[in-house]
Amino acid sequence: MGKRRNRGRSQLLSTMTKKQKKHLRDFGEEHPFYDRVSKKEVKPQICQLSESSDTSHSESESESEQEHVSGYHRLLATLKNVSEEEEEEEEDDSDVSDGDISDEDGDEDVQVEEEIDKSAETQEPDDPKEKDGEGPPDTSQKSPEEFTDAKHESLFSLETNFLEEDSGGSSSQRASQDPFQQHVNKELKEKDIQAAASNSPTSQQLKWPTLGQLVFSSKFRKMETFKPPKDIDLKSLHLQKPLESTWGKTNSKFLSGPQKSNSPFTPLQKELFLVMNSYRDLFYPERTALKNGEEIRHVYCLHAINHVLKANAQVLANNSRRRSQKLGVGEDDDFRDQGLTRPKVLIVVPFREAALRVVQLFISLLEGDSKKKIIVSNKKRFQGEYGSDPEERPPNLKRPEDYEAVFVGNIDDHFRIGVAILQRSIRLYAPFYSSDILIASPLGLRTIIGGEGEKKRDFDFLSSVELLIIDQADIYLMQNWEHVLHLMNHMNLLPLDSHGVDFSRVRMWSLNNWSRYYRQTLLFGALQDAQINSVFNKHCVNAQGQVAVRNVPVTGAISHVLVQLPHVFQRMEAQDLASVIDARFHFFVNKILPQYRDAVMSHTLIYVPSYFDFVRLRNYFKREELNFTHICEYTQKSGVSRARHFFLQGEKQFLLLTERFHFYKRYTIKGIRNLIFYELPTYPHFYSEVCNMLRATSRGEEATWTCTVLYSKYDAQRLAAVVGVERAAQMLRSPKNVHLFITGEK
């Protein structure tokens, strides 16, 4: 009889979906929606609770609390005897040794679950060919290869797990000096929010040894500044276990000599982490892929995973306290430890290679040199989709060093992935609403956020982001800056759906829609740009304050021009910033272009940073029937070859070249004799690179070479980066509109 009963139970479970199993486990009976219609009366299956379980809840109380999942999570927490089916699943989970879960394991179960489960809106697609504006696709359309580790959902659930005794999280969480606790427990008042919306920010400048000139600012009443200490102790940073022990080995490649024994941070990392750990917003515009890119990536990954481990440890510790205390009604205010949705950290990176390195750093920071490996689900699939084959890159491709550093590995810019971290386990490809960390590109986020009027769009997962990291922000200027602006406009909005949240555990400032005042934003880029500054000034309103690095360039990129060349800088006048675009076009057409219409001024390259300006000039040249050719980022390879050939042979007098083409290709354009910068380049070193192209085909015409640059008073930052801050100040103050500099003089 026992075997027959077990066989019947297993047959019943095999026909149930994941939602039905969950409902049976949580409520003790099948959901009435899935009742089978038959002539015979079917008795509901009851799960017996242990004697020690809490039976004080009446049947009527359980019915009234159906909408609140937390009540049943507390009931589930009191269970000591799990069903045979759950024991079998736990045995399957324990078989995972090194966390390398292949797609072949449990494909049949996953396929059946994905065909039936319709909760696809919380599942994140990974196909970069997905159409723009579409939300997360239905998982029923996914193939078995798109394995999302649904089997281990309970392993990474914050609601049904408890803090391990050896994690040491509870003691560190209670420390009043912990910056994390001070930040999340800080209480703002309504008058503070109103004052911040109307007041102009107060600022103060300080100079730090490594970062240089810092500007501390805040829109709130109280603004505090601090200076970095000479020596730093890991214990004083309140790092969560095991980061104290693993950080030294992970960061060892940047340390050498006596520095390795004295401090686990480089001087740059130490000062950056002190600002990060104070939970202030940070803008660092001197991050370069060639110089300090990896050094900075290490330190912000440390801060991100430290934040997640502390937040999750607090939730798990409160789960344990709630289970032990058997709370009654009205005692939940002491356990507000969550946001409206689970994702806490959003890391925006431009390419898949950067996402791969971030995840590898997370694994290294959790493992360290310990013999016990952490569980990493879907690791094999992740390496296949985000890794690269070195043989795919042409061996004879010669490009500048900075180009090689930026475009290394997999440079696909359409991706997004959820990462769940719980104690010593990492789950890759987690659904967004079950993830702690989201790693995505601006394009990958844009296609899921969608636009107004689109039916399939979702941005609720951004509602409770507490830490936003935007790395390599300058590259997004070359991709599509509108995607970044679209993302910032949808950060920390109230969600349209509850997504199963337990409102008794949500922090009050999150319920008050004040999350943006608690969100820390870390912005890293390679240059000072007006558009990046605008995002930092407009969208970063952290109550802790903002810190921006404002070092001024001393020499400028013009000092790296190697050819003997006269540089004529012509200033144009514009009434305001909105009229600069039209003023530049009319100034170029009426003042500059007539000087180059003569056939003697052939081989003229016109460098255009903005694609919209490029289209306007191209259309004008066509209307005027000028002898020209053009190259932009959308030009086919054959068209690029023809344009370069015609320009070199002198068959075309003008060549229009966009900055984005130069950024992505870095071709050397031969045959240049006259150079016009329609606008100062975004990257200052592009100025010297383009000027040095003149020596590619030197045939004794050096005496006739010319270079003309257009600028206005609104181009002060770019002008200082090219000619240096002192020259730029003189040029902007001078009544003269034309300034001449000569480089390469013998």
Side-chain angles (χ1 to χ4, degrees):
M1 290 293 293
K3 292 183 178 179
R4 188 175 303 170
R5 189 184 303 112
N6 291 337
R7 188 182 301 111
R9 179 181 297 177
S10 61
Q11 291 177 355
L12 176 63
L13 288 172
S14 64
T15 61
M16 296 174 65
T17 65
K18 185 173 68 174
K19 284 186 175 180
Q20 291 173 289
K21 292 179 183 178
K22 183 178 183 300
H23 193 277
L24 177 62
R25 181 173 69 250
D26 290 349
F27 294 91
E29 62 180 4
E30 292 186 72
H31 195 285
F33 179 78
Y34 301 104
D35 284 349
R36 296 165 179 79
V37 180
S38 61
K39 296 181 180 180
K40 296 183 180 180
E41 183 178 354
V42 181
K43 296 182 179 180
Q45 295 195 5
I46 306 298
C47 291
Q48 297 294 333
L49 303 180
S50 64
E51 295 179 358
S52 61
S53 62
D54 187 6
T55 59
S56 61
H57 297 284
S58 64
E59 186 175 346
S60 60
E61 289 176 341
S62 63
E63 291 177 359
S64 64
E65 290 183 1
Q66 270 191 345
E67 295 179 356
H68 302 283
V69 184
S70 61
Y72 291 101
H73 286 311
R74 291 199 297 270
L75 178 63
L76 182 63
T78 63
L79 292 176
K80 290 187 177 179
N81 300 325
V82 294
S83 61
E84 297 177 3
E85 293 76 24
E86 290 180 29
E87 290 179 353
E88 292 176 1
E89 291 179 2
E90 290 176 1
E91 289 176 1
D92 293 340
D93 292 347
S94 62
D95 293 337
V96 183
S97 58
D98 58 351
D100 191 3
I101 304 177
S102 62
D103 291 356
E104 289 78 6
D105 296 340
D107 269 52
E108 296 178 359
D109 295 338
V110 174
Q111 187 176 7
V112 172
E113 289 177 351
E114 290 183 348
E115 288 177 354
I116 301 176
D117 190 5
K118 299 299 182 181
S119 59
E121 292 183 0
T122 60
Q123 189 72 26
E124 191 53 22
D126 299 288
D127 186 7
K129 298 180 180 179
E130 181 182 325
K131 294 182 180 179
D132 288 8
E134 290 184 354
D138 194 321
T139 51
S140 62
Q141 297 177 358
K142 289 189 175 182
S143 61
E145 288 76 10
E146 301 226 8
F147 184 64
T148 55
D149 196 24
K151 182 178 172 183
H152 298 85
E153 182 73 35
S154 61
L155 178 64
F156 293 91
S157 174
L158 286 179
E159 291 82 1
T160 57
N161 282 278
F162 306 97
L163 192 67
E164 294 180 355
E165 295 181 358
D166 59 345
S167 65
S170 58
S171 60
S172 62
Q173 294 297 320
R174 296 193 189 102
S176 59
Q177 297 85 4
D178 189 351
F180 169 80
Q181 288 291 341
Q182 293 177 355
H183 178 61
V184 298
N185 294 333
K186 183 177 181 179
E187 295 184 2
L188 294 177
K189 298 180 180 179
E190 184 70 32
K191 60 180 181 180
D192 297 329
I193 302 298
Q194 295 176 356
S198 58
N199 293 345
S200 58
T202 58
S203 60
Q204 183 178 349
Q205 294 188 6
L206 286 179
K207 189 171 184 179
W208 283 21
T210 305
L211 291 179
Q213 199 72 27
L214 300 186
V215 177
F216 288 77
S217 61
S218 177
K219 287 188 176 182
F220 290 80
R221 294 180 178 179
K222 198 173 181 180
M223 186 189 68
E224 298 179 356
T225 62
F226 67 99
K227 290 187 177 181
K230 293 183 179 179
D231 299 324
I232 189 171
D233 184 15
L234 278 179
K235 294 183 179 179
S236 65
L237 299 177
H238 299 275
L239 294 180
Q240 190 77 0
K241 289 184 179 181
L243 301 179
E244 256 185 55
S245 57
T246 59
W247 169 249
K249 182 181 179 182
T250 304
N251 197 48
S252 60
K253 66 178 181 179
F254 300 110
L255 306 174
S256 59
Q259 182 185 358
K260 190 170 184 178
S261 57
N262 294 336
S263 173
F265 295 92
T266 65
L268 175 62
Q269 287 178 332
K270 180 184 76 171
E271 296 186 5
L272 286 176
F273 190 76
L274 286 173
V275 177
M276 295 178 190
N277 208 33
S278 67
Y279 280 90
R280 290 173 170 86
D281 294 331
L282 172 65
F283 175 36
Y284 183 72
E286 299 176 12
R287 184 247 192 249
T288 59
L290 194 61
K291 184 180 179 182
N292 54 16
E294 289 303 310
E295 191 178 350
I296 293 173
R297 180 180 284 123
H298 274 64
V299 73
Y300 76 62
C301 283
L302 171 67
H303 179 58
I305 201 167
N306 186 44
H307 179 86
V308 169
L309 290 177
K310 286 181 179 180
N312 287 352
Q314 186 180 36
V315 174
L316 299 182
N318 287 341
N319 288 348
S320 301
R321 291 171 60 195
R322 289 162 65 93
R323 177 178 61 172
S324 61
Q325 295 179 10
K326 297 181 181 179
L327 294 174
V329 179
E331 299 182 19
D332 287 344
D333 285 344
D334 296 334
F335 299 93
R336 294 191 178 275
D337 49 17
Q338 303 174 19
L340 290 167
T341 53
R342 180 169 173 177
K344 309 170 186 66
V345 178
L346 173 60
I347 302 178
V348 182
V349 289
F351 304 119
R352 285 182 181 253
E353 174 67 20
L356 174 68
R357 296 186 182 186
V358 167
V359 172
Q360 289 174 343
L361 277 174
F362 288 160
I363 297 173
S364 177
L365 286 169
L366 290 178
E367 277 186 353
D369 54 356
S370 61
K371 296 181 180 179
K372 186 178 178 182
K373 299 295 183 181
I374 65 172
I375 298 176
V376 183
S377 64
N378 300 322
K379 185 177 180 181
K380 184 177 179 181
R381 173 189 170 188
F382 176 74
Q383 291 176 341
E385 294 184 1
Y386 285 76
S388 60
D389 187 0
E391 297 181 357
E392 294 179 358
R393 192 174 184 85
N396 58 347
L397 191 65
K398 293 182 180 180
R399 294 291 183 267
E401 291 183 349
D402 66 294
Y403 179 91
E404 298 288 348
V406 170
F407 296 99
V408 63
N410 191 335
I411 58 172
D412 178 26
D413 64 349
H414 189 179
F415 62 91
R416 50 186 177 264
I417 183 172
V419 181
I421 298 177
L422 203 62
Q423 296 172 8
R424 294 190 58 83
S425 303
I426 294 181
R427 180 190 186 191
L428 304 177
Y429 296 99
F432 266 26
Y433 293 98
S434 300
S435 302
D436 297 300
I437 301 175
L438 308 178
I439 308 173
S441 65
L443 178 59
L445 291 171
R446 178 64 177 83
T447 54
I448 188 175
I449 294 174
E452 292 187 8
E454 297 180 6
K455 294 183 179 179
K456 292 185 178 180
R457 56 181 312 208
D458 186 13
F459 49 85
D460 287 355
F461 57 87
L462 301 173
S463 62
S464 298
V465 170
E466 300 166 358
L467 175 58
L468 171 62
I469 301 174
I470 302 179
D471 196 12
Q472 296 177 271
D474 52 287
I475 295 182
Y476 310 137
L477 296 172
M478 300 292 108
Q479 293 179 344
N480 194 334
W481 188 250
E482 290 295 327
H483 296 335
V484 177
L485 299 179
H486 194 71
L487 167 65
M488 300 305 297
N489 289 330
H490 288 82
M491 290 296 302
N492 299 114
L493 301 178
L494 285 176
L496 303 177
D497 191 8
S498 63
H499 300 283
V501 66
D502 180 3
F503 288 99
S504 66
R505 299 286 295 270
V506 179
R507 296 187 181 96
M508 290 305 301
W509 48 262
S510 186
L511 293 174
N512 291 334
N513 196 22
W514 293 349
S515 297
R516 60 182 176 275
Y517 299 108
Y518 288 83
R519 186 193 75 233
Q520 182 187 26
T521 304
L522 306 179
L523 192 56
F524 301 99
L527 48 89
Q528 295 269 12
D529 188 83
Q531 298 180 82
I532 302 177
N533 289 336
S534 175
V535 166
F536 186 74
N537 296 331
K538 180 180 178 182
H539 295 281
C540 298
V541 290
N542 187 354
Q544 297 289 352
Q546 291 75 39
V547 178
V549 179
R550 302 296 187 190
N551 295 319
V552 295
V554 179
T555 56
I558 196 171
S559 60
H560 299 289
V561 177
L562 304 178
V563 297
Q564 186 173 357
L565 182 67
H567 305 260
V568 179
F569 288 79
Q570 298 206 16
R571 187 176 67 202
M572 59 177 186
E573 301 298 335
Q575 294 180 355
D576 50 35
L577 185 60
S579 62
V580 168
I581 297 176
D582 291 333
R584 179 180 290 110
F585 176 75
H586 294 300
F587 184 83
F588 174 79
V589 170
N590 299 326
K591 298 291 183 66
I592 304 299
L593 190 58
Q595 303 174 19
Y596 293 85
R597 282 179 176 266
D598 198 315
V600 179
M601 304 296 291
S602 61
H603 297 272
T604 301
L605 173 69
I606 304 176
Y607 181 92
V608 189
S610 171
Y611 180 76
F612 299 105
D613 290 334
F614 165 79
V615 173
R616 189 175 186 179
L617 288 174
R618 184 191 62 190
N619 295 340
Y620 176 81
F621 277 39
K622 287 182 178 179
R623 288 197 306 269
E624 295 295 319
E625 297 182 351
L626 297 177
N627 185 22
F628 82 104
T629 185
H630 57 86
I631 299 176
C632 69
E633 56 271 23
Y634 303 111
T635 307
Q636 298 292 333
K637 191 173 182 179
S638 57
V640 173
S641 301
R642 285 195 301 269
R644 295 174 68 188
H645 173 74
F646 292 154
F647 184 72
L648 175 62
Q649 299 300 324
E651 298 180 21
K652 299 294 182 180
Q653 183 177 355
F654 296 98
L655 171 61
L656 296 177
L657 182 73
T658 62
E659 184 175 66
R660 290 178 65 186
F661 175 83
H662 181 68
F663 174 80
Y664 283 107
K665 298 299 183 182
R666 300 292 181 91
Y667 287 173
T668 299
I669 306 298
K670 298 180 180 180
I672 304 175
R673 298 180 187 175
N674 304 290
L675 185 59
I676 300 177
F677 285 93
Y678 186 78
E679 185 182 1
L680 286 163
T682 304
Y683 288 90
H685 65 275
F686 283 2
Y687 184 87
S688 56
E689 282 186 8
V690 175
C691 289
N692 290 330
M693 289 182 186
L694 275 74
R695 62 177 181 173
T697 53
S698 179
R699 299 175 183 174
E701 310 98 347
E702 291 85 350
T704 61
W705 287 348
T706 64
C707 177
T708 303
V709 185
L710 277 65
Y711 75 97
S712 70
K713 62 181 180 181
Y714 299 103
D715 299 324
Q717 285 184 329
R718 294 188 180 185
L719 183 64
V722 171
V723 301
V725 65
E726 293 184 2
R727 284 181 177 176
Q730 294 174 1
M731 294 167 62
L732 293 173
R733 288 195 302 261
S734 173
K736 297 189 301 182
N737 292 335
V738 180
H739 299 269
L740 174 65
F741 302 101
I742 300 178
T743 58
E745 291 183 296
K746 297 181 180 178

